């Protein structure tokens, strides 16, 4: 009878050992282990998004003049030959005004039938040819002289005159700098009123801006017959160019 506790002890030890090997542990001997699987999400980034605007005003240094010739003929060939002959005279006059060949570019050339409306019927009249060239001119003080000379030797179309700058990209970057400064100023002002401080810039978008629109642009239409009688010359005024830039910027705070 005295050996019974010893036998029981050995039996329990043997049972425990076998249970551990098989992976089963009696509740009396099991130890509870708790591991936390909770993932703490990062705090949401707090941001301020603003749109900044910048513009620069500059004096134009180049002009674009569109002028040309409209001719008619009974046949398309006749109208084209007449146009070519008269336009050669115009072209030579432009060269004499020290306009380089590379600065004279044809922007429109068309040949089409011409009709009139008579007795409630459409009547074929012949053909018309129109040729328009674009001239790049840098001596802005003599633009009127260029137009007057062209008209005097046969040009009967002066369509547009507008101004730009050969440093346009440089002016665009200056406008962009101002837009960025404006965006920063707006963000700081908003943050100040909200009682916070801006930290880093997280995103910048350069909004697509159309080509600078000249503050002066007009379609030139003049009564040259009256002008010749008065000996007056055409006057064209360059005005100023306004170049704009817009950016959207997001700042963290």
């Amino acid at each position: 009878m005295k050996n019974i506790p010893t036998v029981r002890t050995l039996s329990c030890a043997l049972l425990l050992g076998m249970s551990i090997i098989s992976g089963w542990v009696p509740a009396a001997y099991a130890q509870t282990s708790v591991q936390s699987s909770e993932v703490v999400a990062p705090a949401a980034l707090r941001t301020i998004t603003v749109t900044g605007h910048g513009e620069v005003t500059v004096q134009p240094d180049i002009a674009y003049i569109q002028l040309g010739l409209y001719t008619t003929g009974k046949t398309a060939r006749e109208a084209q030959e007449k146009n070519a002959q008269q336009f050669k005279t115009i072209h030579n006059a432009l060269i004499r005004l020290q306009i380089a060949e590379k600065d004279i570019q044809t922007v429109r050339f068309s040949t089409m039938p011409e009709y009139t409306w008579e007795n409630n019927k459409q009547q074929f009249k012949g053909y018309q040819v129109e040729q328009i060239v674009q001239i790049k001119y840098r001596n802005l003080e003599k633009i009127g002289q260029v137009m007057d000379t062209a008209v005097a030797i046969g040009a009967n179309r002066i369509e547009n005159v507008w101004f730009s700058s050969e440093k346009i990209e440089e002016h665009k970057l200056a406008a962009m700098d101002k837009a960025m400064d404006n965006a920063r100023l707006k963000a700081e002002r908003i943050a100040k009123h909200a009682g916070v401080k801006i930290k880093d810039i997280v995103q910048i978008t350069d909004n697509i801006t159309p080509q600078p629109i000249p503050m002066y642009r007009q379609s030139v239409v003049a009564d040259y017959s009256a002008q010749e009688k008065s000996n007056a010359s055409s006057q064209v005024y360059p005005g100023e160019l306004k170049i704009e830039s817009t950016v959207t910027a997001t700042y963290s705070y």
Side-chain angles (χ1 to χ4, degrees):
M1 297 297 292
K2 293 181 180 180
N3 296 330
I4 292 175
T6 304
V7 172
R8 287 181 178 177
T9 302
L10 292 173
S11 299
C12 290
L14 181 60
L15 178 61
L16 179 60
M18 293 176 65
S19 299
I20 293 174
I21 294 173
S22 64
W24 175 81
V25 180
Y29 294 94
Q31 294 183 356
T32 302
S33 176
V34 179
Q35 295 182 353
S36 174
S37 60
E38 181 181 355
V39 178
V40 180
L45 186 65
R46 300 183 302 172
T47 61
I48 297 172
T49 300
V50 294
T51 298
H53 178 76
E55 66 178 47
V56 294
T57 302
V58 299
Q59 296 293 323
D61 54 35
I62 191 167
Y64 294 90
I65 310 166
Q66 287 187 349
L67 57 84
L69 182 64
Y70 169 86
T71 55
T72 59
K74 293 181 179 180
T75 65
R77 182 174 181 177
E78 179 185 341
Q80 287 183 351
E81 288 179 348
K82 188 186 298 184
N83 190 283
Q85 184 177 0
Q86 294 182 21
F87 213 94
K88 185 177 181 180
T89 305
I90 296 172
H91 178 268
N92 291 338
L94 296 176
I95 298 299
R96 286 196 298 272
L97 288 171
Q98 297 183 341
I99 299 174
E101 289 278 3
K102 65 177 183 175
D103 292 333
I104 304 173
Q105 181 183 34
T106 298
V107 293
R108 187 166 73 248
F109 188 97
S110 64
T111 302
M112 62 184 67
E114 186 177 24
Y115 297 92
T116 58
W117 192 261
E118 298 176 1
N119 299 324
N120 296 325
K121 291 183 179 180
Q122 191 180 49
Q123 302 290 334
F124 175 73
K125 186 177 179 180
Y127 287 86
Q128 61 183 21
V129 173
E130 184 180 41
Q131 181 175 184
I132 302 296
V133 295
Q134 179 171 287
I135 300 166
K136 187 187 295 185
Y137 198 62
R138 295 170 180 80
N139 191 345
L140 303 190
E141 295 180 357
K142 294 186 177 181
I143 296 175
Q145 180 183 341
V146 171
M147 295 191 300
D148 292 343
T149 300
V151 170
I153 52 155
N156 51 24
R157 287 286 186 277
I158 295 184
E159 296 197 339
N160 285 297
V161 176
W162 70 95
F163 300 91
S164 186
S165 172
E166 293 194 289
K167 298 179 179 179
I168 201 71
E169 292 302 322
E170 181 180 330
H171 298 320
K172 284 181 182 179
L173 292 176
M176 186 182 296
D177 288 344
K178 288 193 173 185
M180 286 298 300
D181 291 341
N182 181 245
R184 180 85 183 186
L185 183 64
K186 286 182 178 179
E188 288 177 343
R189 181 66 61 90
I190 293 172
K192 180 180 178 181
H193 282 273
V196 297
K197 289 185 178 182
I198 62 172
K199 297 178 181 177
D200 301 318
I201 188 160
V202 231
Q203 184 175 2
I204 308 171
T205 303
D206 176 21
N207 300 330
I208 298 175
T209 314
Q211 290 293 324
I213 301 175
M215 295 178 69
Y216 169 87
R217 178 172 182 157
Q218 73 174 39
S219 178
V220 181
V221 180
D223 183 355
Y224 286 101
S225 58
Q227 184 173 296
E228 288 176 359
K229 292 178 182 178
S230 64
N231 293 322
S233 59
S234 299
Q235 298 296 319
V236 180
Y237 307 99
E240 294 178 323
L241 290 174
K242 183 169 67 175
I243 301 165
E244 300 177 318
S245 177
T246 304
V247 298
T248 299
T250 300
Y251 298 86
S252 64
Y253 67 90

